[in-house]
Amino acid sequence: MADTVTGLELRSKVTSAGKLELSLEPVTLEAPGDDEVIVRVQAAPINPSDLGLLIGPADVASMVAGGTADRPTLTLDVPAERMGMLKARIDQSLPVGNEGAGEVIAAGANVTDLLGKTVGMLGGAMYTQVRKLPAKDCVPLKDGQTAADGASMFVNPLTALGFVETMRMEGHTAIVHTAAASNLGQMLNRICIADGVPLVNVVRSAEQADILRAIGATHIVDSTAPDFRDALTDAIAETVATIAFDAIGGGKLGGQILGAMEAAASRSAAEYSRYGSTTFKQLYIYGALDTGPTVLNRNFGFSWAVSGWLLTPFMGKAGREVVGRMRGRVVDELTTTFASNYTRTIGLAEALNPDVLAAYNRKATGEKYLIDPSR
Amino acid sequence: MADTVTGLELRSKVTSAGKLELSLEPVTLEAPGDDEVIVRVQAAPINPSDLGLLIGPADVASMVAGGTADRPTLTLDVPAERMGMLKARIDQSLPVGNEGAGEVIAAGANVTDLLGKTVGMLGGAMYTQVRKLPAKDCVPLKDGQTAADGASMFVNPLTALGFVETMRMEGHTAIVHTAAASNLGQMLNRICIADGVPLVNVVRSAEQADILRAIGATHIVDSTAPDFRDALTDAIAETVATIAFDAIGGGKLGGQILGAMEAAASRSAAEYSRYGSTTFKQLYIYGALDTGPTVLNRNFGFSWAVSGWLLTPFMGKAGREVVGRMRGRVVDELTTTFASNYTRTIGLAEALNPDVLAAYNRKATGEKYLIDPSR
């Protein structure tokens, strides 16, 4: 029998009794197959998309801590009205963490060249001390690059590049982005500056505007400023942006962006049309920082669409060649265009500390947590 | 100099002072060009899409009658916050009425065969006693068909056919329709029954359900019934409808339909996905019976779109061949599939009677007004 590798893994379970339980569970990995590797995970980011699986439906205010110092647990209430949409995950202990990076500590016969290398990984279940996965889901980092450098090389970089690809595929020439001072938003600015794509950044504070100004963003509008609507319309008129990507989802902001696009289009309209302008306006909702309802006042005619946007189906539609080009660019520009900033690094057990969880669950723009399970 | 033809025409004007003025203005038509005809209009329907131009932004409660019995006027207030989107029509006296039918009373040299014929017409400005237009915008009716038979041969029939064409073009196989007992909704039922397309009809009363049951509709759900959500989900699960056409626009109904589509898709899902099902769900908003905000609770994952739908851009996208086929079917089935029911016929002056206007502006399902300007 082959040697085995053991470690702890973070799990999230919704019980049929309406509780969400977070815990660290032991995992034992058999030796890797011929095309597999085992990685000691050293860095895995907490993305908003991870929080959906980790905590999503539960009421954070109801958090109760338990377990031991090494293996803490947290139990949260799930409001009854949210249980319906969780049917497919009831009583399943689910691993969490979309992406991460670490050192290859075991490699199958066909991939021994990876042994000892630091690699970035995509594939889920990354909030774990040891992870076995196909070598093809690993990207070796360059000399001098750390696990922290490679931890976020998939979700944010490919999403930001995906926005620009979507813009081109659908015939638009400029973009509006919300929550624009996020790590993702900063990457998008660097891409758009390099590619000459006009970008309108919508932020929620003067501090966030400063972050973007410092990296060279030109069009920045603050949704908390009294002249927000006029400033947004001016920026859209100047850039001729007709596609928007919205991380927030809930509330009126998405509809306000479509309204500003319509107002910008109407400035140049010669003739009255009761159905609004013929300019097609697209709003993509790709996140849910506000899980409340989306409210559309529909003061933007009939030539518009609001749609969900997700990375995986986009990559399926874009095809292998486009995705290959995107991934190549991420590797080439990992520590420049696609550099991430983490405000705090925590261990696996710390991730289940009530105060720490409350902090990273706020999803405050500019704050970003990294888990280092090897701590 | 050629003979001229005179008559009265209904006009709508928004003034810079914030008033909407309705009046009957004299028109004088010169003899038609070689490819033109002059039609004595005998029937023109009041469609919801006409009301947008006729009254749309004004406050009906503020209506003040004036003028004479033959040439009445109505003056309404336009709320200040709605003036912004009317910029392009300020102080223009605009004719109204998308479609109509009547008798050809003068014809140009190349189209003398139309003289004396009853024709259906598309082209706007139909709430008028006499209308000059290109012969190509007229469709001669068959012997025995009246102007009332041909008055609504474009907007509703082509819209209903356009829904089915859109469904096919975008890869769906069944439809959800709201305000489903309308004239348009009844046509859509007859088309779907003939073509074998499963159709889920959403109505707002038991009476409306009865109307549809009488013409052979099978899937009817009443949004005022206590079990609405479950009934809607069941009907969608049974038909596998993934595209919806919504005449209402405002409120939560559109989002509830997407939610029911998602719930139906999740019934058969084997594995939990935090991003919802992969079933793509499309909601088209084609009307604004409720001009309030659209409220989407987004309990339907990320694979969805909500878009505006309008007949004219659809026909542009569908192309000449498809539109030709659609128009041919309308002519062939004018008094069967595409028969309209009018609950009241009024004259031009009557259209400016305050009580009459308040009645047709209610847009009650099952009520439909026809204007006969020759009265």
Side-chain angles (χ1 to χ4, degrees):
Chain A
M1 190 177 145
D3 287 341
T4 58
V5 174
T6 61
L8 291 173
E9 172 171 278
L10 200 159
R11 296 283 186 82
S12 173
K13 180 162 84 171
V14 172
T15 69
S16 45
K19 299 283 181 186
L20 183 135
E21 298 173 357
L22 301 177
S23 62
L24 300 182
E25 302 295 335
V27 287
T28 300
L29 303 178
E30 304 290 329
D34 288 353
D35 296 302
E36 290 182 324
V37 295
I38 292 177
V39 176
R40 183 171 304 285
V41 182
Q42 295 160 322
I46 303 181
N47 290 318
S49 52
D50 295 311
L51 292 169
L53 183 60
L54 187 69
I55 314 169
D59 175 13
V60 172
S62 69
M63 203 156 31
V64 175
T68 63
D70 286 350
R71 291 185 54 191
T73 63
L74 279 178
T75 305
L76 298 83
D77 295 336
V78 179
E81 70 272 16
R82 299 185 197 161
M83 288 295 288
M85 53 179 163
L86 301 172
K87 228 166 28 182
R89 67 170 284 191
I90 298 286
D91 291 329
Q92 294 176 49
S93 179
L94 299 173
V96 189
N98 278 313
E99 61 184 341
E103 187 189 343
V104 176
I105 58 170
N110 297 335
V111 290
T112 50
D113 56 310
L114 285 175
L115 201 63
K117 290 261 168 67
T118 299
V119 295
M121 302 175 281
L122 184 66
M126 294 297 167
Y127 299 166
T128 185
Q129 292 176 328
V130 287
R131 176 74 162 88
K132 185 161 71 175
L133 75 171
K136 70 173 176 48
D137 294 341
C138 299
V139 177
L141 303 186
K142 296 181 185 168
D143 286 347
Q145 292 179 344
T146 67
D149 289 332
S152 297
M153 69 186 298
F154 295 97
V155 178
N156 278 346
L158 294 178
T159 298
L161 287 170
F163 292 171
V164 178
E165 293 290 341
T166 299
M167 176 202 80
R168 292 194 183 111
M169 283 163 56
E170 300 182 1
H172 305 270
T173 55
I175 295 173
V176 178
H177 186 226
T178 70
S182 65
N183 265 324
L184 171 59
Q186 295 179 39
M187 286 180 195
L188 184 60
N189 271 281
R190 291 188 289 258
I191 295 166
C192 287
I193 291 168
D195 292 10
V197 174
L199 173 65
V200 177
N201 294 278
V202 179
V203 298
R204 285 173 290 183
S205 73
E207 292 70 32
Q208 291 171 358
D210 290 342
I211 293 174
L212 292 179
R213 210 168 283 115
I215 64 165
T218 40
H219 300 284
I220 306 168
V221 288
D222 180 348
S223 62
T224 64
D227 69 340
F228 170 58
R229 279 187 193 221
D230 289 341
L232 180 63
T233 305
D234 288 347
I236 288 173
E238 202 172 322
T239 56
V240 200
T242 49
I243 187 168
F245 293 90
D246 176 36
I248 297 168
K252 293 185 175 182
L253 181 60
Q256 285 173 341
I257 292 169
L258 291 175
M261 287 176 177
E262 179 72 3
S266 303
R267 282 186 183 173
S268 52
E271 203 182 334
Y272 174 69
S273 162
R274 80 198 83 168
Y275 300 120
S277 79
T278 55
T279 300
F280 182 70
K281 301 161 292 287
Q282 172 73 55
L283 172 71
Y284 279 113
I285 296 178
Y286 75 93
L289 294 180
D290 177 349
T291 55
T294 308
V295 178
L296 306 171
N297 280 320
R298 301 201 319 292
N299 59 337
F300 37 74
F302 276 85
S303 187
W304 56 275
V306 179
S307 323
W309 193 97
L310 277 184
L311 180 58
T312 306
F314 161 75
M315 292 197 298
K317 198 162 41 168
R320 188 183 296 247
E321 192 187 317
V322 170
V323 173
R325 174 159 49 75
M326 290 163 60
R327 287 176 74 144
R329 183 167 178 182
V330 176
V331 171
D332 289 346
E333 306 173 19
L334 185 61
T335 56
T336 53
T337 308
F338 302 106
S340 289
N341 298 308
Y342 303 100
T343 44
R344 189 164 168 194
T345 301
I346 59 177
L348 262 191
E350 251 178 306
L352 300 194
N353 175 297
D355 295 335
V356 175
L357 183 144
Y360 63 70
N361 192 49
R362 267 200 304 271
K363 293 169 266 195
T365 301
E367 281 188 23
K368 183 105 191 171
Y369 280 65
L370 189 68
I371 296 179
D372 176 357
S374 70
R375 282 195 167 190
Chain B
M1 189 181 144
D3 287 340
T4 59
V5 174
T6 61
L8 290 174
E9 174 171 278
L10 198 159
R11 297 281 187 81
S12 174
K13 180 162 85 173
V14 172
T15 70
S16 45
K19 299 285 183 185
L20 183 134
E21 298 173 356
L22 301 177
S23 62
L24 301 182
E25 301 295 334
V27 287
T28 300
L29 303 178
E30 305 289 330
D34 288 352
D35 297 302
E36 290 182 326
V37 295
I38 292 178
V39 176
R40 182 171 303 286
V41 182
Q42 294 159 322
I46 303 180
N47 290 317
S49 51
D50 295 311
L51 292 170
L53 183 60
L54 186 70
I55 313 169
D59 174 12
V60 172
S62 69
M63 203 158 28
V64 174
T68 63
D70 285 352
R71 292 186 53 191
T73 63
L74 279 178
T75 306
L76 298 82
D77 295 336
V78 179
E81 71 271 16
R82 298 185 198 162
M83 289 295 287
M85 53 179 163
L86 301 172
K87 229 168 27 185
R89 66 169 285 190
I90 297 287
D91 291 330
Q92 294 176 49
S93 179
L94 298 173
V96 189
N98 278 314
E99 59 185 342
E103 187 190 344
V104 177
I105 58 170
N110 297 336
V111 290
T112 51
D113 55 310
L114 285 175
L115 200 63
K117 290 262 167 66
T118 299
V119 295
M121 302 174 282
L122 184 66
M126 292 298 166
Y127 298 166
T128 185
Q129 292 176 329
V130 286
R131 177 74 162 86
K132 185 161 72 177
L133 76 170
K136 71 172 176 49
D137 293 342
C138 298
V139 176
L141 303 186
K142 295 181 186 168
D143 287 346
Q145 292 178 342
T146 66
D149 289 332
S152 297
M153 70 186 297
F154 295 98
V155 177
N156 278 346
L158 294 177
T159 299
L161 287 170
F163 292 171
V164 178
E165 293 290 342
T166 299
M167 176 202 81
R168 293 196 183 109
M169 282 163 58
E170 300 183 2
H172 305 271
T173 55
I175 295 174
V176 179
H177 186 226
T178 71
S182 65
N183 265 321
L184 171 59
Q186 295 179 40
M187 286 179 195
L188 184 60
N189 271 282
R190 291 189 289 257
I191 295 166
C192 286
I193 290 168
D195 292 11
V197 174
L199 174 66
V200 177
N201 294 278
V202 180
V203 298
R204 285 174 290 183
S205 72
E207 292 70 32
Q208 291 170 359
D210 290 342
I211 293 174
L212 291 179
R213 210 167 283 116
I215 63 166
T218 39
H219 301 284
I220 306 168
V221 288
D222 181 349
S223 61
T224 64
D227 69 339
F228 170 58
R229 281 187 193 219
D230 289 341
L232 180 63
T233 305
D234 289 345
I236 288 172
E238 202 172 322
T239 56
V240 200
T242 48
I243 187 168
F245 293 90
D246 175 36
I248 296 168
K252 293 185 174 180
L253 181 60
Q256 286 173 341
I257 292 169
L258 292 174
M261 287 176 178
E262 180 71 3
S266 303
R267 281 186 186 174
S268 52
E271 202 180 337
Y272 174 70
S273 161
R274 79 198 85 170
Y275 300 119
S277 78
T278 56
T279 300
F280 182 70
K281 302 161 291 288
Q282 172 73 54
L283 171 71
Y284 279 113
I285 296 179
Y286 75 93
L289 294 179
D290 177 348
T291 57
T294 308
V295 178
L296 306 171
N297 281 321
R298 300 201 317 293
N299 59 337
F300 37 75
F302 277 85
S303 187
W304 57 275
V306 179
S307 323
W309 194 97
L310 277 183
L311 180 58
T312 307
F314 162 75
M315 293 197 298
K317 197 162 40 165
R320 187 184 296 247
E321 193 187 316
V322 171
V323 173
R325 173 160 49 77
M326 289 163 62
R327 287 175 72 142
R329 183 167 177 181
V330 176
V331 171
D332 289 346
E333 305 173 18
L334 185 62
T335 55
T336 53
T337 309
F338 302 105
S340 290
N341 298 308
Y342 302 100
T343 43
R344 189 164 166 194
T345 301
I346 58 178
L348 264 190
E350 251 179 307
L352 300 195
N353 175 296
D355 295 335
V356 175
L357 183 144
Y360 63 70
N361 192 50
R362 267 200 303 271
K363 292 169 266 194
T365 300
E367 281 187 25
K368 182 104 190 172
Y369 280 63
L370 189 68
I371 296 180
D372 177 356
S374 71
R375 283 198 167 188

